[in-house]
Amino acid sequence: MSIKRLLIALSTLILFGWVFSVTYLSISNPEVEWDWDTIDTEDIHFPSTFAWGTATAAHQVEGYNDNNNWYIWENSFDENNNSRIHNGDKSGIAADHWNQYNTDIGLMKELGVNHYRFSISWSKIEPKKGKIDYNVIQHYKNLCNALIKSEITPVITLHHFTHPIWFEKLGAFEKKENIKHILEFSELIFNELHSLVPIWCTINEPSVYVSQGYFNGVFPPGKKDPALAGIVLENMLNAHIQIYNKLKSLPGGTKVEIGLVKNIFQFEPLRRWHILDWVFSFVLNDVFTNSTLQFFQTGQSIFYMPGMVKNELKNPDAIGSFDFIGLNYYSRFHVKGQLNPNEPFIFERRPKDIQTDMDYALYPEGFYSALHTISSLKVPIYVTENGLADRNDNIRPIFIKRYLYAMNLALKDRLDIRGYFYWSLMDNFEWAEGYDMKFGLYEVDFETQERQLRAGSKPFIEMVKKRGSDERGFIVNIGEQAPDFEMEYTNGKKVRLSDLKGNLVILQFTASWCSVCRQEMPHLEKDIQQKYKGENVVLIGIDRDEPLETVINFKKEMKVTYPLALDPNADIFGMFADKNSGVTRNIVIDQKGKIVFLTRLFEEKEYNNMLKIIEELISS
Ligand code: BGC
């Protein structure tokens, strides 16, 4: 075969291989984008037990952090003599949260949240190795007590990107032997504060600390050393495990929840036809997220970037080393591979995406998928951060609505999500981006320290204040007045619930496709409809969102004599229960319009209790 033919054959093979691979990859990793025009983001409820909070970090809001790794960084310059921070900003007094925390608790009350995640400043507490400033610990005790007094649960993060200069000088997480220092610090803080704080986050976002500080070089210590990045990640994860085990063994350890905070950014190919973009997005997802998750699932994994780093992580104690996992989610990145050994990939935005100021695209679908990814750890999930930088405050409302919708969908998939912390309560020092990024629900005027609620934060407040649903999906409670509404029976007759006052009313929410409803209906017919004929008892079936004809046939089939009413769009149902929860369920409403009993599914004991209550109300 001539060289020419060989080359042609080889090129054809490569071309086929390329086409086959990218087609396969595209099909097996479809791009998820929801049609937001058809989605009603308002129509959601969260469980009434759901924790709603806001989050901050000491260095970003407190001010007066002049003794840590970030202080050095803010005051140093790069090789071109430029400040490390955008605009040459320094954290300085930040939002003066150190002095203004009472004002800020007032803001939280205004929002209606019941949790607050904040970090404590190790460098303020232990300015010199072994020298503890108990006044600072007292400050955090005061903060916790003030929160508790305001019915806000304190949630502490032990390490949120910053630590004392002495720890940095020792090599921080670059050295395994330094883990003992953060362990001692964590033990001290836990002993001092455990009785006030039920939820503890050990370390915030090890992958971000590592990628920004040891890969991109934009966070301290500003290194670009993938091999070291692998070691630092390993030491941080092991530090978490040791902190977890230590705190659990201390008095009060078993009474609190302790977890790690993991950030997920998905990496996706910018050009879905380009093999390099696929390769780099896989590599990045692996080092950023999958290797960490695998480590906690199996006790071992590999931090691997071809030609750059291969670090094997092994620690059997990793398995089960948290009571919950914290998820921080913002967005995804689109990766473009290039044949440049100095810069093998870059991130590029897509013109069609809605970008926030931090240049993160709006991607609630990714939040939903990240919740599923993190759920593989099989522990309860807290969303410990989610938010956006939006100085013009025009994207914030849709961001909030869509991300909360995505989280709600994940809850409906039965993921064990316990709470959500919005990042952030107020504008703050956004690390390398300085004060330019406006993440706050409250705008802060850094000259006057005045805080002002942003109009775009309203959807968050509305959701927090919206009534939550209970574990059975009810949004109403026994003892409340039943909401009023008009319903139309299959015979065209229209009735308002308030017209029925003076009667004992039983509403059965039902549907023709619901087998439990079908089981229950003959019993309702016999035990209520027939039994209380002629008395002031009204039993009505309300059929969930089915057309008239279906409901007429359903009534005939079930041979019930009580009326069935229509409920287009399940709007009546939605006044009593989360629209996405199921039927059958009964609402018993007394003669004065008060809800006296609620049932869900057709369970003998509950059903009999309902009959008993009806009997009592009739004979009283
Ligand atoms: C960090 C925060 C930061 C936020 C927004 C998270 O990765 O934990 O400290 O402000 O992202 O960039």
Side-chain angles (χ1 to χ4, degrees), residues 10 86 90 120 142 153 183 274 299 386 406 437 553 561 614:
L10 213 61
H86 185 67
K90 293 182 179 166
I120 46 175
N142 296 345
T153 304
L183 196 59
H274 204 297
N386 176 236
M437 294 298 149
N553 289 336
T561 61
I614 293 173

Side-chain angles (χ1 to χ4, degrees), residues 60 160-161 204-205 263 330 358 385 423 430-431 439:
Q60 296 179 270
H160 194 128
F161 296 164
N204 182 67
E205 302 183 344
N263 175 305
Y330 290 89
M358 195 73 178
E385 280 180 37
W423 184 273
E430 177 49 37
W431 309 113
F439 274 93

